[in-house]
Amino acid sequence: MIEISGISKWYGPRQVLRECSLHVKKGEVVVICGPSGSGKSTLIKCVNGLESFQRGEIRVDGISVGDSGADLPRLRSRVGMVFQHFELFPHMRALDNVNLGQIHVLGRSPEEAARKSRELLARVGLAEHADQYPAQLSGGQQQRVAIARALAMDPIAMLFDEPTSALDPEMISEVLEVMTALARQGMTMLVVTHEMGFARSVAHRMVFMDEGRIVEDAPTPAFFDSPQSERARQFLSRILRH
Amino acid sequence: MSALDWSSIPGALPFLLQGMGLSLGLLLSAMLGGILLGTLLALLRLARRRPLAALAGAYVNLFRSVPLVLVIFWFYFLAPFILRRLTGRADAAVGPLYSALVAFTLFEAAYYCEIIRAGIQSVSRGQVAAAQALGMSHGQVMRLVVLPQAFRRMVPLLLTQGIILFQDTSLVYVISLSDFLGAAGKIGQRDGRLVELYLFAAAVYFALCFAASRGVGRLQRRLRA
């Protein structure tokens, strides 16, 4: 489904990704973790072409992302993305946020889109909040609307870029619950997160990044029980100590 | 020095009101046209295609570097000339009103462009990324996500620029249009009461513009809240 092969990226002289390779199969949930500045977010944004890269290849459902002729809008319409800072459109109600892409990108009728949106808002527990503006919602609620907005496009895969790191602690679980349900339903997911409890319970594989490199890529139990690299061991001991 | 005599004003009110109508008409048309053209220029200035951005930049710099009164003059004399060349008819006329309208629109567009460009740039990159991630084209990102937010933020600035434009419409006296100031001048000259009429005109401009800026200030506070 998502095949990242030998990706390298530079910001000017500084190399931020070093020959990263990672494959996500259909229905698989892969969690990327690592210290901040290790390139996790940059890597995930390369998958739908929000960030460019200089070397290597990324194929999503057979389409090469880096090709100059790639139809990026079409590809992006099929891959959902959830951002750290939610990025709901503040001038629209929750319902219209979820409608927008369906109507203008997929060409659904407003009625059809609204039906689907209400169904999805109900699924993330926000049926009552459809008519509210993002500013009237809590962070956790906003992020759930953002997940509904991405799901409304009927994506073949979902990308999550630190979806809970801008949230107050008591709101993290409501977002993770939605993500866990999604994973259980068989959605293909690539998730950048520090939530190790979530990772341990739903991820099929764990990827550990450090200094732009993928240092470890292992099945979840193996990663937590016996990390191979010293850096991953240090990272885990620091993050799991609490 | 003789005392001020205001007696010629009441009888001239209908004529002055007509002048005010012209001033406001010029203001509204130039604002509308200027904002439309300014938006287009702003999008061009931000375009990835360098030649387009440079062209729009040159336009803005040109119009922001010449006095408005000269632009009004040029269009008054140039527009009929160009029209005659294009149509081949010696009697083709534009008239001062339309030439002034074109001049104001083109001139204001340069200023609106800069306001709108700043507004577009104030919308965060995350918003653009979120819109792109839904599969929107560049045009859709702008039309559905960026411009609505940018305009909301820009409303006070656009209105303030409108107040300045309202004062500037008085410059059409150079092509003998009877806007509010022009009408006041004509009455003043007719009755030999120029000082009174110009004082009256100043008071009216002050009252309108002051009230409008207070209104914009209040709107700005409400938008911020």
Side-chain angles (χ1 to χ4, degrees):
Chain A
M1 179 73 67
I2 300 171
E3 298 158 49
I4 304 172
S5 319
I7 290 295
S8 292
K9 177 180 175 69
W10 286 262
Y11 283 127
R14 197 164 61 88
Q15 187 166 7
V16 290
L17 292 177
R18 297 167 196 269
E19 293 173 25
C20 297
S21 295
L22 167 64
H23 290 205
V24 183
K25 292 197 281 280
K26 190 169 165 16
E28 205 172 21
V29 178
V30 175
V31 164
I32 305 177
C33 62
S36 53
S38 57
K40 314 174 295 276
S41 287
T42 309
L43 180 66
I44 201 171
K45 282 181 182 147
C46 285
V47 173
N48 63 353
L50 287 181
E51 291 274 1
S52 61
F53 47 89
Q54 282 81 38
R55 257 194 235 151
E57 191 189 35
I58 297 181
R59 300 182 79 84
V60 177
D61 200 29
I63 300 163
S64 178
V65 179
D67 266 8
S68 54
D71 185 351
L72 281 181
R74 195 178 136 65
L75 179 117
R76 288 172 184 148
S77 72
R78 303 176 64 207
V79 180
M81 184 155 205
V82 175
F83 297 84
Q84 181 177 1
H85 296 289
F86 331 135
E87 304 298 353
L88 290 182
F89 306 129
H91 57 300
M92 293 176 193
R93 298 174 303 156
L95 184 74
D96 296 314
N97 264 278
V98 186
N99 282 344
L100 194 70
Q102 298 183 68
I103 295 172
H104 293 279
V105 177
L106 300 182
R108 286 181 188 149
S109 71
E111 299 76 32
E112 192 188 352
R115 203 176 322 124
K116 173 113 187 163
S117 299
R118 289 195 186 277
E119 187 188 306
L120 282 166
L121 285 173
R123 197 163 131 197
V124 298
L126 293 171
E128 310 295 313
H129 298 76
D131 294 324
Q132 284 179 305
Y133 284 88
Q136 298 169 300
L137 300 172
S138 72
Q141 290 171 330
Q142 288 189 51
Q143 193 61 299
R144 284 186 282 154
V145 174
I147 293 173
R149 176 175 70 179
L151 290 176
M153 306 297 284
D154 292 324
I156 55 171
M158 288 280 286
L159 308 172
F160 291 85
D161 183 13
E162 305 209 26
T164 57
S165 46
L167 292 175
D168 291 337
E170 72 267 27
M171 290 169 187
I172 290 177
S173 63
E174 65 187 55
V175 171
L176 290 181
E177 273 162 29
V178 169
M179 291 171 63
T180 304
L182 201 58
R184 302 253 188 265
Q185 286 153 18
M187 176 60 79
T188 308
M189 289 164 63
L190 186 55
V191 186
V192 173
T193 185
H194 293 294
E195 296 298 329
M196 289 301 125
F198 164 80
R200 211 196 268 261
S201 72
V202 303
H204 298 105
R205 268 175 37 233
M206 294 295 298
V207 170
F208 176 74
M209 285 184 75
D210 188 32
E211 292 174 352
R213 221 177 246 114
I214 289 182
V215 180
E216 210 148 331
D217 180 349
T220 306
F223 177 77
F224 282 106
D225 296 341
S226 51
Q228 298 301 300
S229 66
E230 184 53 36
R231 283 295 290 125
R233 254 195 300 277
Q234 280 174 3
F235 177 78
L236 278 178
S237 72
R238 214 169 292 145
I239 207 164
L240 294 177
R241 193 178 298 151
H242 312 291
Chain B
M1 204 179 111
S2 61
L4 294 173
D5 174 6
W6 305 94
S7 61
S8 57
I9 293 176
L13 277 180
F15 184 58
L16 290 172
L17 211 61
Q18 222 174 15
M20 184 53 78
L22 183 90
S23 294
L24 291 174
L26 262 178
L27 166 70
L28 292 179
S29 329
M31 252 184 107
L32 194 70
I35 288 174
L36 284 176
L37 183 59
T39 306
L40 186 71
L41 284 169
L43 290 173
L44 286 178
R45 278 205 85 167
L46 295 169
R48 284 229 191 94
R49 274 168 238 236
R50 282 292 164 77
L52 285 180
L55 208 66
Y59 177 96
V60 169
N61 287 325
L62 173 72
F63 275 97
R64 295 215 305 172
S65 310
V66 292
L68 174 56
V69 69
L70 277 183
V71 180
I72 295 171
F73 253 135
W74 282 340
F75 275 92
Y76 183 56
F77 293 116
L78 268 179
F81 181 74
I82 293 171
L83 202 66
R84 272 166 216 168
R85 271 292 178 82
L86 285 178
T87 59
R89 290 171 48 181
D91 59 343
V94 180
L97 181 59
Y98 287 102
S99 76
L101 205 53
V102 172
F104 274 113
T105 302
L106 295 182
F107 188 84
E108 288 303 313
Y111 285 86
Y112 281 124
C113 166
E114 292 305 276
I115 295 174
I116 294 163
R117 185 168 69 127
I120 290 173
Q121 284 173 326
S122 78
V123 177
S124 76
R125 289 187 53 189
Q127 285 284 304
V128 175
Q132 285 177 331
L134 286 173
M136 289 187 201
S137 65
H138 178 70
Q140 285 176 322
V141 174
M142 279 293 160
R143 185 165 55 82
L144 300 170
V145 175
V146 175
L147 286 178
Q149 293 183 56
F151 271 107
R152 224 151 285 209
R153 273 173 225 183
M154 288 175 319
V155 164
L157 278 176
L158 294 174
L159 290 177
T160 301
Q161 181 66 26
I163 294 172
I164 298 170
L165 170 61
F166 178 60
Q167 295 161 15
D168 286 350
T169 55
S170 61
L171 288 171
V172 295
Y173 84 91
V174 298
I175 52 174
S176 306
L177 270 176
S178 288
D179 72 318
F180 182 65
L181 184 66
K186 280 174 192 169
I187 298 292
Q189 241 149 23
R190 188 195 65 188
D191 299 350
R193 290 288 165 206
L194 264 181
V195 174
E196 288 85 344
L197 264 294
Y198 280 152
L199 275 173
F200 175 67
V204 171
Y205 275 110
F206 174 81
L208 287 178
C209 293
F210 187 70
S213 0
R214 291 295 291 266
V216 170
R218 199 166 302 158
L219 178 74
Q220 199 160 18
R221 276 192 298 279
R222 247 189 40 203
L223 285 178
R224 219 177 286 147

